[in-house]
Amino acid sequence: MADKVIKAIEGRQEQLERALPGLSKTIAAFPNGKIHIKRIHGENYYYLVQDGKNEVLLKNDDPMISELVQKDYLEKALRSVNNELLALGRMKKIYPDDVVEDEYGKISEARREFVKPLILNDEQYIQRWLDIPFVPKTINEDLPVFLTLKGERVRSKSEMIIADRLYMKEIPYKYECPLILGKKTIHPDFSVLKISERKVIYYEHCGMMGKPGYVKDLVSRVNDYNVAGYVLGDSLFLTFESAEQPLDVRTLDSMIEKVFR
């Protein structure tokens, strides 16, 4: 767990350091002086202040306003970047190797069954989520059999591909786990645990887009999701397929890396 925090610190350091090169020179290239803004009777008036003494009223479209306001912003931004880098450097040095999530894993198995962890690490959180029992939707025996790498039976070849892709990329998921939407109980194709936010998101593969009746039901289903607070693009994600356009695994892989992790 400590490694995850250090990695996040280093990522933030890299982001800030990319903003630094040439910033001081950029600031130095701006003209001298500052802009003082006075608001009088609902109107803004811009004054050029030089050497802390004289104020010269400028016209609203004077390019000096834009340059000096930008300069002032960059000076403050530079101070903030340097202050944050200093703080992050200190944090990285003093951050402990062992954190609270590690303590549960250190105790013996004989003790562990009696302990309720204060904070679960990612692996423990995933396992606890996966261990919650549920009854999936029944699949009729007369339908074709598609088995995933986990040994689950799913309804289509595309869902088998999706399940196997999630499994191979170590994305925790449940297939057709019940979800209550208002007074309805539905079974989303995939309930996915986004472990970086410890949040469950729902993924529906819309595999028969060439059928008008299917599309009509899909619109109603998505509306039900949204009314219940599961907003498309936040906690609900869709992929689409028709007879002419099969599932594109590149889209799936992109969604896994950018959304599901």
Side-chain angles (χ1 to χ4, degrees), residues 223-238:
N223 286 338
D224 289 340
Y225 270 115
N226 281 280
V227 169
Y230 301 102
V231 179
L232 189 62
D234 174 57
S235 50
L236 173 64
F237 294 86
L238 312 176

Side-chain angles (χ1 to χ4, degrees), residues 124-143:
Q124 294 160 354
Y125 191 91
I126 290 169
Q127 194 57 54
R128 179 169 290 189
W129 181 75
L130 290 174
D131 287 344
I132 298 172
F134 70 95
V135 178
K137 191 175 180 180
T138 302
I139 300 177
N140 294 335
E141 291 301 323
D142 59 343
L143 293 175

Side-chain angles (χ1 to χ4, degrees), residues 175-192:
Y175 179 70
E176 292 194 340
C177 179
L179 173 66
I180 297 175
L181 297 182
K183 296 181 179 180
K184 298 180 180 179
T185 298
I186 68 167
H187 296 77
D189 293 337
F190 297 92
S191 302
V192 176

